[in-house]
Amino acid sequence: MLRLNDLLSASVLIVAFSLLAYIALQNWHTAIARALCVLLTGVVIVSGGDVLLGQAEHDATIQFLLRAQWLGITLVPAGYVHLSDALLSYSGLLSRRRRWLVALSYGLSLGFFALALSGDLLLRGGIARGPLAQFGAGPLFGLFAIYFAITIGGGLWAVWQVRRLALTPTLRRRLTYLGATFLAPGLAVFPYLVIAGTYDFLSNNVVLLLSAMGAAGVAMMITIMVYSIAFQGLLLPDRLIKQDFIRWGLYGPFVGVTIILFLRSTPVLAKTVGLPLETLLTFGVMIMTVLMPIFVSKIKPYLDALVYRQDRAEIDYLRTLPRNTFTYADLRSLLENTLVVICGALRVDTGFVAAPDDANSYMVKTLVGARRLVKRFVAEHPLNEMMPRLQAAAPGEPGAIPPLDMFLRYDGFCMLPLRSPEGDFLGALGVAYPQGGLTPEARRLIGVLAHQMELALATVQMQQRLFDTLRGMGPEMQLLQVLNTRLEQATPASLDTLEAEVALLPEFPQLVKDALTHYWGGPKLSDSPLLGLRTVRRLIGDQGGSPTRALQAVLRQAIENLRPDDQLDPSAQEWLLYNILELRFLQGKRTRDIAERLAMSESDFYRKQRIAVEEVVRQLALMEESESQ
């Protein structure tokens, strides 16, 4: 029974710590999540103390651990009050009095912790019977128990109130889960053994059995409690939150509890088989580190299938998309291999493929053979002058042998235009002119392999257009997800403010772009609907009462949030986007000057500027959401 109790205590510790890390990393910006972190911190401290008490042997160590556990015990009632206020505030029931009550609860908890550290008012005497070591109750312990019970009761009332105001079945269901598991942190940390006379009618085994059963129930209840709160205030689709929660459960509590179970059972196995404990641990760790990742990877698709059961076809296709996408690296490899085959068949050494770049100019995409010869050829015959002649050549029949007049001969190279199936010009293939001339067999070979190049170039161009379209739809899709989440978590109070949410307007991305364009003055800044943003209204007082200057400050802060770390390579994409925003909008420099300074064409500049503005839109949406918490 003692081993079972120790194992379950360790399991509660692992589960609570894993969930604390999950909620802190995923949802720290919401008050509800921060309050839950206080509750989980209390559970972690108390559970960690229980694990250490099971191994402690010296009286001084036991005394220290018993008193230190009261930091977690006293945190929990304050966390309940904090969580109650956060739930009611999130539902629109704001109250300054409750904020003072939260501060008072933390003060009371701090006072009770101080009493637990010294003196006999809260704790006194004590009994030390192995894992059941505990203090006795002092004169003020009853007062603490009443305080503990009132905070839990108030929290349950708050959950009921919020559930009553919920408009959607989804939100009511999650609040039902929260209410059903609300007692979990309290059950996990309340010092039952402090109550005088416990040992007079219960044996150690009975107490350990009850403790083990409680630990198992608490671990399950805390998991459900965190799951129900993980959705609150997190503006992501439910499917993503569920998937993240399942992944965290697999890599956190599941793996951790499995390893603890293995480590605790190894001594028993060592006695049974008669092998040294260290030997079994070595082989066991080796097996666990190999098998656990394999097991998790095998079971994860089945769990994801439950999450995405309605969207399974789309999600499965998106998962295979990276494998099916023909990237620029794939294109370069195909062009290079095709050139090698063509040059080998024609018994020449050098060839290259030229195609348009992002700046609507031309560049050598790949080459084989003597790089020096290709560079000299391109320098003597600029591609921007040569390509229009090739583009003007009459297209040949698909699948037919390219006629001789389709090949243009330049200084030892013959050039063949490459076209898409629709006849659009894609670039040109250039190979050193063979000694035997362009025989029909040579032209047939070049025609067949050039067709594969044309297909590859057309496919990559089409993919790039699709990616640009999806990237441009990013802000709109994100706003739709935010709106869906807001409606799902709606209460009457939140609906009153939903109409005033500027960040949820369909034209929000365009409004941001217009305001940036008129950053230094203009009607699209001074009369912009963005003046209604909460972040802007908050700064009006700091900007001398000027809404326009407040909007300028918010836009400047959003751009500054995108500034990369100074340790990042200056040539990185993040720095390029930030420099475009700063030079174009904050400094108001001309497009041509910026393009020259950043060594890019104007067409490439406009494409990068669009991406940079999309990032500003995302930053403003995040700032606005943070302001609402």
Side-chain angles (χ1 to χ4, degrees), residues 231 236-244 307-308 311 315 318 481:
F231 296 88
L236 287 174
D238 285 3
R239 53 183 172 81
L240 295 182
I241 299 175
K242 292 176 181 178
Q243 186 186 42
D244 290 342
V307 175
Y308 296 117
D311 306 312
I315 297 300
L318 290 175
Q481 296 289 4

Coordinates of all heavy atoms in Angstrom, one line a residue, residues 231 236-244 307-308 311 315 318 481:
F231 N -9.5 26.5 -23.4 CA -10.2 27.2 -24.5 C -10.5 28.6 -24.2 O -10.7 29.4 -25.1 CB -11.5 26.4 -24.8 CG -11.3 25.0 -25.3 CD1 -11.3 24.0 -24.4 CD2 -11.2 24.7 -26.6 CE1 -11.1 22.7 -24.8 CE2 -11.1 23.4 -27.1 CZ -11.0 22.4 -26.2
L236 N -8.0 30.4 -31.0 CA -7.6 29.4 -31.9 C -8.8 28.4 -32.2 O -9.7 28.3 -31.3 CB -6.4 28.6 -31.4 CG -5.1 29.3 -31.4 CD1 -4.1 28.4 -30.7 CD2 -4.6 29.6 -32.8
P237 N -8.8 27.8 -33.3 CA -9.9 26.7 -33.5 C -9.8 25.6 -32.5 O -8.7 25.3 -32.0 CB -9.5 26.2 -34.9 CG -8.7 27.2 -35.6 CD -7.9 27.9 -34.5
D238 N -11.0 25.1 -32.1 CA -11.0 24.1 -31.1 C -10.1 22.9 -31.5 O -9.5 22.3 -30.6 CB -12.5 23.6 -30.9 CG -13.3 24.6 -30.2 OD1 -12.7 25.6 -29.8 OD2 -14.5 24.3 -29.9
R239 N -10.1 22.5 -32.8 CA -9.3 21.4 -33.2 C -7.8 21.5 -32.9 O -7.2 20.6 -32.5 CB -9.5 21.1 -34.7 CG -9.2 22.3 -35.6 CD -9.5 22.0 -37.0 NE -9.4 23.2 -37.8 CZ -8.3 23.7 -38.3 NH1 -7.2 23.1 -38.0 NH2 -8.3 24.8 -39.0
L240 N -7.3 22.7 -33.0 CA -5.9 23.0 -32.7 C -5.6 22.9 -31.2 O -4.6 22.3 -30.8 CB -5.5 24.3 -33.3 CG -5.5 24.5 -34.8 CD1 -5.0 25.9 -35.2 CD2 -4.7 23.4 -35.5
I241 N -6.5 23.4 -30.4 CA -6.4 23.4 -29.0 C -6.4 21.9 -28.5 O -5.6 21.5 -27.7 CB -7.4 24.2 -28.3 CG1 -7.3 25.7 -28.7 CG2 -7.3 24.1 -26.7 CD1 -8.3 26.6 -28.1
K242 N -7.4 21.2 -29.0 CA -7.5 19.8 -28.6 C -6.2 19.0 -29.0 O -5.7 18.1 -28.3 CB -8.7 19.1 -29.3 CG -10.0 19.7 -28.7 CD -11.2 19.1 -29.5 CE -12.5 19.6 -29.0 NZ -13.7 19.1 -29.7
Q243 N -5.8 19.2 -30.3 CA -4.6 18.5 -30.7 C -3.4 18.9 -29.9 O -2.6 18.0 -29.5 CB -4.3 18.9 -32.2 CG -3.1 18.1 -32.8 CD -2.8 18.6 -34.2 OE1 -2.7 19.8 -34.4 NE2 -2.5 17.6 -35.1
D244 N -3.2 20.2 -29.5 CA -2.1 20.5 -28.6 C -2.2 19.9 -27.3 O -1.2 19.5 -26.7 CB -2.0 22.1 -28.5 CG -1.6 22.8 -29.8 OD1 -1.0 22.1 -30.7 OD2 -1.9 24.0 -29.9
V307 N -10.0 13.9 -33.1 CA -10.1 15.4 -33.1 C -10.6 15.9 -34.4 O -11.5 16.8 -34.5 CB -8.7 16.0 -32.7 CG1 -8.8 17.5 -32.8 CG2 -8.3 15.6 -31.3
Y308 N -10.1 15.3 -35.5 CA -10.4 15.8 -36.8 C -11.4 15.0 -37.5 O -11.4 14.9 -38.8 CB -9.1 15.9 -37.7 CG -8.1 16.9 -37.2 CD1 -6.9 16.5 -36.8 CD2 -8.4 18.2 -37.1 CE1 -5.9 17.4 -36.3 CE2 -7.5 19.2 -36.7 CZ -6.2 18.7 -36.3 OH -5.3 19.6 -35.8
D311 N -13.2 16.8 -40.3 CA -12.4 17.4 -41.3 C -11.2 16.5 -41.7 O -10.2 17.0 -42.1 CB -11.8 18.7 -40.8 CG -12.9 19.7 -40.3 OD1 -13.9 19.8 -41.0 OD2 -12.7 20.2 -39.2
I315 N -7.6 17.5 -43.6 CA -6.4 17.5 -42.7 C -5.4 16.4 -43.3 O -4.2 16.7 -43.3 CB -6.7 17.2 -41.3 CG1 -7.6 18.3 -40.7 CG2 -5.4 17.0 -40.5 CD1 -6.9 19.6 -40.7
L318 N -3.7 18.0 -46.2 CA -2.7 19.0 -45.8 C -1.4 18.3 -45.2 O -0.3 18.9 -45.4 CB -3.3 19.9 -44.8 CG -4.4 20.9 -45.3 CD1 -5.0 21.7 -44.2 CD2 -3.8 21.8 -46.4
Q481 N -11.4 33.1 -37.6 CA -11.2 32.2 -36.4 C -11.4 32.9 -35.1 O -12.1 32.4 -34.2 CB -9.8 31.6 -36.4 CG -9.4 30.7 -37.6 CD -10.1 29.4 -37.6 OE1 -11.0 29.1 -36.7 NE2 -9.8 28.5 -38.5

